[in-house]
Amino acid sequence: MAIAASELAADLGLSLQGDDVTLSRVAPLDTADPGSLSYLADKRYRAHLGETRAGAVIIRSADADAAPCAVLLADNPELAFAHAAARLHPRRRQASGVHPSAVVDPSADIHPTAAIGPLCVIDADVHIAADVELGPHCSIGAGSCIGAASRLVARVTVCPGARIGARNLLHPGAVIGREGFGFAKDGERWVRIPQVGGVRLGEDVEIGANSTVDRGAMEDTVIADGVKIDNLVQIGHNVVIGEHTAMAACSGISGSTQIGARCTVAGAVGMAGHLHIADDVHFTGMAMVTRSQAAAGVYSSGIPAMPNAEWRRIIARLRRLDLLHARVQQLEQALTAAGQNGPAPPSE
């Protein structure tokens, strides 16, 4: 949709400097045209600002003089851009009602304003609140509840008894409430432990494509308000994730781990089970978390990528680490036996 820059500025509480251009879309600085709105939040892209052809740019006041176009001044350009993009590219909502191909149990309670898409299956005693949207092929298990204005994009599976709060966004292939990974050993066999807990998702939660949240073994798995989970993430049974924590793709959280509020978990992080992670803890990419963390801060592990030749040299030295350790021990023992007060270099 097209909107004047002055109108957009007024809606978002921003100041406009320059021409009152008409904007119809968003685009990056380097590919924008005069009908586009762009933004600058990361100084790494400042080189593109002076050459942009955008009609307007959302920017901090300190960078405004370098812009060759109209500017919308914001203290947080990325946040302002998010709201502006939603105005310029509004999502088309599904029409209310139940598609003829959907299969709905007579006992299900579906609000008249909800939209149930093609080939959905809604089991007994399901409650679907106002303005919920279910895209094609969603499956909602018996006794589940979906809060107002939540959207299940497509092929989302909600297993029996799950509780999904208001304004949730569940992307294609998400699975909420499958049985947790719990087994007891019987000799050489594994015997499944019944998973009789549930899953509770708070309000404004987002679950990425093909991510899974397991139901609890005896108590519920809990995802608190405002949590954002990326694609291909595994949340084990009885995990508790605090408010406004964000988790990037390909991470895995083992069972019964508790993660605090406002944490960030970067891509491909693995967490062992039964850990306690404090509020405001941030794990960098590919961290292997095997211990609880009681203090806020940034935590890392793993070895970054490097040239292959350098990596091969390091591995060759690692293979000799046990031998080097044994030699050091022998030297220390020899020095002690000789009456030395501390380790000293052996004489040539």
Side-chain angles (χ1 to χ4, degrees):
M1 62 180 295
I3 184 171
S6 58
E7 182 181 349
L8 190 61
D11 289 346
L12 302 181
L14 306 177
S15 298
L16 171 65
Q17 292 183 2
D19 296 336
D20 188 13
V21 295
T22 298
L23 304 167
S24 59
R25 56 196 166 275
V26 298
L29 286 169
D30 56 344
T31 60
D33 61 26
S36 302
L37 172 70
S38 191
Y39 80 108
L40 175 66
D42 190 327
K43 62 182 181 182
R44 291 178 295 180
Y45 299 101
R46 198 176 189 278
H48 297 302
L49 179 61
E51 300 175 356
T52 188
R53 297 178 59 244
V57 177
I58 299 177
I59 203 169
R60 293 184 179 89
S61 57
D63 296 314
D65 291 343
C69 58
V71 297
L72 301 173
L73 299 179
D75 294 332
N76 186 339
E78 188 171 40
L79 177 61
F81 180 78
H83 292 306
R87 285 292 313 274
L88 289 167
H89 299 272
R91 185 181 63 83
R92 180 178 295 179
R93 191 187 183 281
Q94 290 178 233
S96 299
V98 179
H99 193 275
S101 65
V103 178
V104 180
D105 188 275
S107 65
D109 175 23
I110 300 175
H111 194 277
T113 60
I116 310 301
L119 302 173
C120 289
V121 177
I122 300 176
D123 214 333
D125 301 316
V126 167
H127 174 75
I128 296 178
D131 299 318
V132 167
E133 295 180 61
L134 303 187
H137 292 272
C138 289
S139 175
I140 313 300
S144 298
C145 294
I146 302 179
S150 286
R151 179 185 173 214
L152 284 60
V153 177
R155 294 184 296 101
V156 174
T157 300
V158 178
C159 297
R163 299 289 186 267
I164 295 174
R167 299 177 302 280
N168 276 213
L169 175 58
L170 277 56
H171 290 280
V175 178
I176 309 300
R178 69 132 230 176
E179 286 201 52
F181 193 71
F183 297 90
K185 200 71 181 291
D186 180 11
E188 296 181 354
R189 300 173 58 248
W190 292 103
V191 177
R192 170 165 284 283
I193 300 172
Q195 306 289 291
V196 298
V199 170
R200 288 184 282 129
L201 273 57
E203 297 182 346
D204 301 298
V205 171
E206 183 164 335
I207 307 292
N210 295 322
S211 290
T212 60
V213 182
D214 291 353
R215 69 190 314 108
M218 291 181 284
E219 297 181 338
D220 291 349
T221 301
V222 179
I223 312 297
D225 293 352
V227 170
K228 309 300 182 187
I229 294 175
D230 199 0
N231 304 332
L232 299 168
V233 172
Q234 159 66 15
I235 307 297
H237 57 186
N238 296 108
V239 167
V240 176
I241 301 179
E243 294 181 350
H244 306 297
T245 284
M247 191 173 302
C250 298
S251 293
I253 314 300
S254 299
S256 299
T257 284
Q258 297 185 15
I259 301 175
R262 301 175 302 279
C263 295
T264 56
V265 179
V269 167
M271 289 194 193
H274 302 274
L275 304 182
H276 293 265
I277 308 300
D279 296 344
D280 301 299
V281 168
H282 309 285
F283 293 107
T284 61
M286 300 190 73
M288 185 64 238
V289 185
T290 59
R291 295 183 298 176
S292 295
Q293 301 294 345
V298 179
Y299 296 84
S300 302
S301 69
I303 301 175
M306 62 186 70
N308 180 258
E310 183 179 351
W311 172 248
R312 290 168 68 90
R313 286 195 300 271
I314 290 173
I315 289 298
R317 291 164 183 162
L318 284 173
R319 288 173 176 165
R320 300 173 58 193
L321 195 58
D322 282 344
L323 177 61
L324 178 61
H325 176 69
R327 292 179 63 188
V328 170
Q329 281 189 318
Q330 290 173 358
L331 288 170
E332 289 176 342
Q333 291 167 1
L335 289 170
T336 300
Q340 300 285 342
N341 292 325
S347 59
E348 291 294 339

